[in-house]
Amino acid sequence: MMELKYSEVLKLNKELGNNLKSSSYDITVLSNIIVHQSKEMLEYSLRGEGINANVKFGDYDNIVQDSKKYQDSNSVIIFWELCNIIDGLQYKIELMNNNQLNELLEKTKIEIDLVMKNLEKTSLVLMNKFTSLSFSYSKIRKNNLDELASHINHYLEENLSENVRLVDIEKVIGSVGFTNSLDMRFFYSSKALYTIDFFKVYAQFVKPIFMSATGKVKKALIFDCDNTLWKGILGEDGFDNIEMSNLTNEGNIFAEIQSMALAINKQGILIGLCSKNNPDDVNEVINSHPDMQLKNDNITIKKINWRDKVSNLKEISAELNIGFDSLVFVDDSTFEVNLIREHLPGITVLQVPEKLYDYPALFRKNIGLFYNLSITEEDSKKVEMYKEQVKRETDKKEFTDIEDYLSSLELKITIFEDDESIIPRMSQITQKTNQFNLTTKRYTEGDIQNFINDPNSDVYAFSVADKFGESGVTGLCIVSDNSKAKWAEIDTLLMSCRIIGRNIEYAFMDYLIGKMKVKKKHILNAKYIKTQKNEQVKEFYDKCSFNLVEEDDSIRDYVFDINNYKSRKLNYIEVINE
Amino acid sequence: MNNKTEDRIKNVMSVVFDIPIGQINKDSSPDNIGSWDSLKHMNLVVALEEEYNIEFADDEILEMMNYSLIRNIIGEKI
């Protein structure tokens, strides 16, 4: 996007908008300065990722009032400019006494409280941190403007709600540079401070937050080996001559790449290898090269052979059970990079730059693709769990009858009802789960909290254990009912792909129907909402003997008389209520 | 000023104001282009500056209020 001219972005953004068929993702920008040029930059950067963003603006300098008016947007972004808290603050502030400064601080805190209260039910709020840089960057001593900014930021951080993400725009200003970030001409004539270049970088900077909120975050990082994880070609240069030590001139670059890969691996991102090499050679490096940081424990999947990489990546996607658009592949060869881009356009491909010293920066720039709205305990456990799954896949082959196999697993479901301690995880699985997801509604932590607080909603999360290990919280069902009526409705039902194929869904349905009977419900309503990825559950409710009452291209509506429910009586799955 | 330069200006105006290029003539101004408000005027200024790698002064920005004037001001700078 940086290489595009503003007029080109306007044009391309319009074309993208006409072509995107997905439902609109509404973003409202609230501000006390003019930031209208952020519209097309944000839209273009998000539409490029398949998010059909539509940006609109609140009235100028009406943040408090408009926060109420636009609270139903999918997301709200707040540009709250320090120097415009009161008109001309950038020059008035140095003449203020302590009392006046305190009053100003108090007034701003109260306004922030009001805004956050008004937006407490909004799924996602991006709040730019306050910055004094624009007007104080040349001042040596810490001054009133700096003090005020750091006080307000401190207050924001202390009072952060779960649905709010603070955006450090000093990083954006830093990467664009002052001269190119700020246009004083339009500031003094029209209260517009930031340039097109600023908005371009800002849009790129915040993009991962929206990708995460809409379930488009990347899940696995697949590396080629030669000149990607180490300097040199293993098959030609040999074990002793490849370099990835921080003590050698070019090896240090690969040491940095491996360390960064390790760090995101610890956050639950899967690492894989896809390389044309002799498997024994690569395994020798992994097992015994003193400088190799990525070990077998970190590497979930290996496709080391002489077949084409398209087939190998297809297998990786199938075996890990994650889509191409959740994969990032890194390779140094132009041939391979172009091959993958052509045949598997969904995969994000990073090419090791010719100027090797640019490689770590390229890597950092793309780490945002793996951004999680929240990092939970399950993330760090996930790597272990996928490994267990590969083990299970192997076990699976020995049984001829699937029921036989499932009985041998000693399956156990633990159900957590309205459990506040796992809100981050519950929100995260609504954002990440695509395949076994009946309605694909994405919820933030704030949304989940609201469901829990609502006496007319029940939130059931569940984890699955078998003799190999524990899946962590991998399933979620939200049911809304009206306490007075005889019916209830399934708002959300989803299961992570890690627990699919074990009939867990039917055992859970037994549990849910039991719950509904206790609550004296007679009718259960449910919906299947079609997406590009949830075809596999299209007929799930039919299999549960629900009645399909209405159907169009995208939605199937079901009504079900609870008294007609026939359990599958899966005696090999134990259900425990936590 | 050659035709190519004129086409470039018209192209930028067409994208910024979101109207067909054929609707832009020497008399085009905020009076006959509905979307040409003060915010869109800022967008036009920025887009033209990027297009020609030039910078407009304050008074030029205020003056650029129809196609002919814009063409003249740019003509002096390139």
Side-chain angles (χ1 to χ4, degrees), chain B residues 6 9-10 13 19-29 32-33 36 66-71:
Chain B
E6 302 211 353
I9 298 175
K10 284 183 181 169
M13 290 175 70
I19 53 169
I21 199 160
Q23 276 185 28
I24 298 163
N25 55 46
K26 66 180 173 47
D27 297 322
S28 290
S29 77
N32 46 43
I33 295 181
W36 192 337
N66 69 46
Y67 171 75
S68 304
L69 287 167
I70 291 171
R71 198 189 51 191

Coordinates of all heavy atoms in Angstrom, one line a residue, chain B residues 6 9-10 13 19-29 32-33 36 66-71:
Chain B
E6 N -3.4 17.4 -18.8 CA -4.8 17.7 -18.5 C -5.6 16.4 -18.1 O -6.4 16.4 -17.2 CB -5.5 18.4 -19.7 CG -4.8 19.7 -20.1 CD -5.7 20.7 -20.7 OE1 -6.9 20.3 -21.0 OE2 -5.3 21.8 -21.0
I9 N -4.8 15.4 -14.5 CA -5.6 16.2 -13.6 C -7.0 15.7 -13.5 O -7.6 15.5 -12.4 CB -5.6 17.7 -13.9 CG1 -4.1 18.2 -13.9 CG2 -6.4 18.5 -12.9 CD1 -4.0 19.7 -14.3
K10 N -7.6 15.6 -14.7 CA -9.0 15.1 -14.7 C -9.2 13.7 -14.1 O -10.2 13.5 -13.4 CB -9.5 15.1 -16.2 CG -9.8 16.5 -16.7 CD -10.4 16.4 -18.1 CE -10.7 17.8 -18.6 NZ -11.0 17.9 -20.1
M13 N -9.2 14.2 -10.4 CA -10.5 14.8 -9.9 C -11.6 13.7 -10.0 O -12.4 13.7 -9.1 CB -10.8 16.0 -10.8 CG -9.9 17.2 -10.6 SD -10.2 18.6 -11.7 CE -11.8 19.2 -11.0
I19 N -16.7 10.8 -9.8 CA -17.6 11.0 -10.9 C -16.9 10.6 -12.2 O -15.7 10.6 -12.2 CB -18.0 12.5 -11.0 CG1 -16.7 13.4 -11.0 CG2 -18.9 13.0 -9.9 CD1 -17.0 14.9 -11.4
P20 N -17.7 10.3 -13.3 CA -17.0 10.0 -14.6 C -16.1 11.1 -15.1 O -16.5 12.3 -14.9 CB -18.2 9.7 -15.5 CG -19.4 9.5 -14.6 CD -19.1 10.3 -13.4
I21 N -15.0 10.7 -15.7 CA -14.0 11.7 -16.2 C -14.6 12.6 -17.2 O -14.3 13.8 -17.3 CB -12.8 10.9 -16.7 CG1 -11.6 11.9 -16.8 CG2 -13.0 10.3 -18.1 CD1 -10.3 11.1 -16.8
G22 N -15.6 12.1 -18.0 CA -16.2 12.9 -19.0 C -17.0 14.1 -18.5 O -17.3 15.1 -19.2
Q23 N -17.4 14.0 -17.2 CA -18.2 15.1 -16.6 C -17.4 16.3 -16.2 O -17.9 17.3 -15.8 CB -18.9 14.6 -15.4 CG -20.2 13.9 -15.7 CD -21.0 13.6 -14.4 OE1 -20.9 14.2 -13.4 NE2 -21.8 12.5 -14.5
I24 N -16.0 16.2 -16.4 CA -15.2 17.3 -15.9 C -14.8 18.2 -17.1 O -14.3 17.7 -18.1 CB -13.9 16.7 -15.2 CG1 -14.3 15.9 -14.0 CG2 -12.9 17.8 -14.8 CD1 -13.3 15.0 -13.5
N25 N -15.0 19.4 -17.0 CA -14.7 20.4 -18.1 C -14.1 21.6 -17.4 O -13.9 21.7 -16.2 CB -15.9 20.7 -18.9 CG -17.0 21.2 -18.0 OD1 -16.8 22.1 -17.2 ND2 -18.2 20.7 -18.3
K26 N -13.8 22.6 -18.3 CA -13.0 23.8 -17.8 C -13.8 24.6 -16.7 O -13.2 25.3 -15.9 CB -12.6 24.7 -18.9 CG -13.7 25.4 -19.7 CD -13.1 26.2 -20.8 CE -14.2 26.8 -21.7 NZ -15.3 27.5 -21.1
D27 N -15.1 24.4 -16.7 CA -15.9 25.2 -15.7 C -16.3 24.4 -14.4 O -17.0 24.9 -13.6 CB -17.2 25.6 -16.3 CG -17.0 26.5 -17.5 OD1 -16.1 27.4 -17.4 OD2 -17.7 26.4 -18.5
S28 N -15.7 23.1 -14.3 CA -16.1 22.3 -13.2 C -15.6 23.0 -11.9 O -14.5 23.4 -11.8 CB -15.3 20.9 -13.3 OG -15.9 20.2 -14.3
S29 N -16.5 23.0 -10.9 CA -16.2 23.7 -9.6 C -17.2 23.1 -8.6 O -18.1 22.3 -8.9 CB -16.5 25.2 -9.8 OG -17.9 25.5 -9.8
N32 N -20.9 23.0 -9.5 CA -21.6 21.9 -10.3 C -21.1 20.5 -10.0 O -21.6 19.6 -10.7 CB -21.4 22.3 -11.8 CG -20.0 22.7 -12.2 OD1 -19.1 22.0 -11.7 ND2 -19.9 23.7 -13.0
I33 N -20.2 20.4 -9.1 CA -19.8 19.0 -8.6 C -20.3 18.9 -7.2 O -19.7 19.5 -6.3 CB -18.3 18.7 -8.8 CG1 -18.0 18.7 -10.3 CG2 -18.0 17.3 -8.2 CD1 -16.5 18.4 -10.6
W36 N -17.9 18.0 -4.2 CA -16.7 18.8 -4.0 C -16.9 19.7 -2.7 O -17.3 20.9 -2.9 CB -16.4 19.7 -5.2 CG -15.1 20.4 -5.2 CD1 -14.3 20.7 -4.2 CD2 -14.4 20.8 -6.4 NE1 -13.2 21.4 -4.6 CE2 -13.2 21.4 -6.0 CE3 -14.7 20.8 -7.8 CZ2 -12.3 22.0 -6.9 CZ3 -13.8 21.4 -8.7 CH2 -12.6 22.0 -8.2
N66 N -11.7 25.9 -9.3 CA -12.3 25.3 -10.5 C -11.2 24.7 -11.4 O -10.0 25.0 -11.1 CB -13.2 26.3 -11.3 CG -12.4 27.4 -11.9 OD1 -11.4 27.1 -12.6 ND2 -12.9 28.6 -11.8
Y67 N -11.7 23.9 -12.3 CA -10.7 23.1 -13.1 C -9.7 24.0 -13.8 O -8.5 23.8 -13.7 CB -11.4 22.3 -14.1 CG -10.4 21.6 -15.1 CD1 -9.7 20.5 -14.6 CD2 -10.3 22.1 -16.4 CE1 -8.7 19.9 -15.5 CE2 -9.3 21.5 -17.2 CZ -8.6 20.4 -16.8 OH -7.6 19.9 -17.6
S68 N -10.1 25.1 -14.4 CA -9.2 26.0 -15.1 C -8.1 26.6 -14.2 O -6.9 26.6 -14.6 CB -9.9 27.2 -15.8 OG -10.9 26.6 -16.6
L69 N -8.5 27.0 -13.0 CA -7.6 27.6 -12.1 C -6.6 26.5 -11.6 O -5.4 26.8 -11.5 CB -8.3 28.2 -10.8 CG -9.0 29.5 -11.1 CD1 -10.0 29.8 -10.0 CD2 -8.0 30.6 -11.3
I70 N -7.1 25.3 -11.4 CA -6.2 24.2 -10.9 C -5.1 24.0 -12.0 O -3.9 23.8 -11.7 CB -7.0 22.9 -10.7 CG1 -7.9 23.1 -9.4 CG2 -6.1 21.7 -10.5 CD1 -8.9 22.0 -9.2
R71 N -5.6 23.9 -13.3 CA -4.7 23.7 -14.4 C -3.6 24.8 -14.5 O -2.5 24.5 -14.6 CB -5.5 23.6 -15.7 CG -4.8 22.9 -16.8 CD -5.6 23.1 -18.1 NE -5.9 24.6 -18.3 CZ -6.8 25.0 -19.1 NH1 -7.4 24.2 -19.9 NH2 -7.0 26.3 -19.2

